[in-house]
Amino acid sequence: MNKLDKQYQDLLQSILDYGVEKKDRTGTGTKSIFGYIIRHNMKDGFPLLTTKRIAWKTMVTELLWFLRGDTNIKFLVDNGCNIWNGDAYKSYEKWYEHMSKTTPFEVPRKFTQDELIKAISLDDWHAKTFGDLGPIYGSQWRSWKQWHVKDYVGGNTQIDQISNLINDLKTNPDSRRLMVSAWNVGEIDKMVLPPCHYGFQVYTRELSWEEREAYGYKINIDGILTEEWADKLRLPTRAISLMWNQRSVDTFLGLPFNIASYGLLLEIIAKEVNMVPDELIGNLGDVHLYSNHVEQAKEQIGREPMELPTVYVRNGIFCSSVNDVILENYNSHPSIKAPLSN
């Protein structure tokens, strides 16, 4: 049963009914509420909204980019994902303005955003110079810098939070420290955009025999299943849940991606550590609708949810392409266009 779309529609309606008008850094203006929780049981299907079409490949590509530890948009551009283009262009505009004021030489003509993105896709120099967004999500997840001073010489140690998380899940699954953070206070000023979803925590529990048995039959194991046989087949013995925290929520455009992305991250981690995906929980802070998304939100509220799809992950955290993640039975209403505020 699809309860997720209904939760999302209720959230949109809550913002319309109770949201306060606030200014924002983009100059667009928002209606905003503070504090909201989304909960989804993964048994009910993969959390990809059906009341509008979600760009599946774009979402998967961005998550794989994070997991690669990558912060350069060339990987995204090469794979048809353009959601960070505007942020890269804003960074380029700041560079161009600085160069125009400080260089004694004639400055080349300023690129349009489309010209810059094309240059990044075709030319390594432009990709290295203008494609990097600073130490955003991927950098913090896979190479968090721990600065230290030793013998009066500065240096840093890079911490792979994802690898540490996987190791801890395998060796100490009841730990209360199964967390990954992207909110590195010492590096926020180097990022093109501070993290909106700034951290996540996972939680595991033992499965009952009835749950293990049901899982075995769900994946089409034939015959009478015993505990001994289940152990030989390496059927999971634990369920895993994920809760993410988000300070700023673009409810119409961003949140559907965030829900699906962390749902997929939960599936990927579960695959890697041989556990069953359980609950997905989103703790949301400033939850807002941009003023130019209000009519679109009203349209989506009026649509009837459909059944949620299913997802199969092939390679755990070693997924290297969209083809490693299989989406099945995704039926939805048409997409609803809305402008992105950068």
Side-chain angles (χ1 to χ4, degrees):
M1 182 178 179
N2 181 0
K3 299 176 184 177
L4 180 66
D5 273 279
K6 184 63 169 62
Q7 286 187 72
Y8 179 75
Q9 290 170 316
D10 287 346
L11 172 55
L12 292 177
Q13 191 64 59
S14 293
I15 298 172
L16 292 174
D17 290 343
Y18 306 112
V20 297
E21 293 186 3
K22 293 189 68 176
K23 298 176 182 178
D24 69 284
R25 65 176 177 82
T26 72
T28 308
T30 69
K31 291 196 76 173
S32 169
I33 61 173
F34 185 59
Y36 205 89
I37 296 177
I38 294 280
R39 300 187 78 105
H40 173 68
N41 192 323
M42 298 293 284
K43 292 178 183 176
D44 293 337
F46 185 80
L48 194 65
L49 294 183
T50 67
T51 44
K52 69 176 178 185
R53 193 81 180 172
I54 306 299
W56 167 255
K57 181 180 176 182
T58 298
M59 182 278 294
V60 177
T61 299
E62 183 193 44
L63 178 60
L64 297 185
W65 182 62
F66 293 160
L67 287 171
R68 285 163 52 97
D70 202 345
T71 59
N72 194 297
I73 67 166
K74 181 168 172 54
F75 174 82
L76 300 179
V77 173
D78 289 347
N79 287 278
C81 177
N82 298 303
I83 55 181
W84 286 89
N85 290 2
D87 295 290
Y89 190 66
K90 282 178 65 177
S91 182
Y92 164 75
E93 286 185 309
K94 291 179 182 178
W95 171 88
Y96 190 89
E97 182 180 357
H98 175 74
M99 289 295 294
S100 299
K101 292 178 179 178
T102 59
T103 182
F105 306 105
E106 184 179 353
V107 179
R109 179 182 65 82
K110 182 179 176 181
F111 282 144
T112 65
Q113 180 171 311
D114 288 345
E115 289 171 337
L116 178 67
I117 300 307
K118 184 175 182 179
I120 288 172
S121 69
L122 297 175
D123 182 271
D124 286 342
W125 183 86
H126 283 96
K128 290 177 181 178
T129 306
F130 303 119
D132 194 80
L133 304 180
I136 59 169
Y137 301 99
S139 175
Q140 304 307 329
W141 285 13
R142 305 309 303 261
S143 56
W144 176 292
K145 290 183 176 61
Q146 181 180 25
W147 296 95
H148 58 85
V149 177
K150 184 177 182 181
D151 298 330
Y152 305 104
V153 178
N156 72 79
T157 302
Q158 295 189 352
I159 300 172
D160 187 337
Q161 295 189 82
I162 297 296
S163 291
N164 288 350
L165 175 67
I166 298 302
N167 180 69
D168 290 345
L169 280 167
K170 291 178 178 179
T171 59
N172 187 17
D174 284 321
S175 172
R176 295 188 292 269
R177 303 176 182 179
L178 303 171
M179 300 174 64
V180 170
S181 176
W183 194 261
N184 188 337
V185 176
E187 293 197 301
I188 285 178
D189 62 344
K190 301 175 185 176
M191 304 176 190
V192 69
L193 182 68
C196 293
H197 41 101
Y198 58 86
F200 66 91
Q201 180 178 356
V202 296
Y203 171 94
T204 80
R205 63 175 179 83
E206 291 187 356
L207 291 169
S208 67
W209 165 244
E210 289 75 18
E211 288 176 309
R212 291 188 77 197
E213 185 180 36
Y215 179 81
Y217 291 131
K218 180 181 177 181
I219 61 174
N220 296 323
I221 290 177
D222 295 326
I224 298 174
L225 192 61
T226 65
E227 291 192 52
E228 181 181 7
W229 186 230
D231 290 339
K232 287 182 179 179
L233 292 172
R234 293 192 69 248
L235 289 185
T237 60
R238 281 184 173 264
I240 181 170
S241 297
L242 183 149
M243 177 174 67
W244 87 92
N245 296 302
Q246 190 161 344
R247 64 173 179 87
S248 177
V249 186
D250 175 352
T251 308
F252 188 77
L253 286 181
L255 183 57
F257 267 60
N258 301 138
I259 295 170
S261 182
Y262 277 104
L264 181 55
L265 180 62
L266 175 55
E267 292 275 1
I268 287 173
I269 294 173
K271 176 73 172 182
E272 186 68 26
V273 298
N274 193 32
M275 296 183 186
V276 178
D278 200 5
E279 271 201 296
L280 178 69
I281 304 160
N283 284 326
L284 313 178
D286 185 322
V287 191
H288 50 265
L289 270 175
Y290 282 103
S291 58
N292 51 5
H293 294 171
V294 169
E295 294 307 314
Q296 292 92 328
K298 291 177 180 177
E299 180 180 352
Q300 189 167 357
I301 289 169
R303 292 178 171 182
E304 190 66 28
M306 302 179 185
E307 289 298 311
L308 293 175
T310 56
V311 159
Y312 174 73
V313 176
R314 285 178 174 161
N315 296 313
I317 62 168
F318 299 104
C319 289
S320 59
S321 77
V322 176
N323 296 329
D324 287 329
V325 183
I326 311 301
L327 176 68
E328 296 179 335
N329 303 316
Y330 181 43
N331 298 302
S332 74
H333 292 268
S335 60
I336 305 175
K337 295 187 180 299
L340 176 64
S341 296
N342 287 119

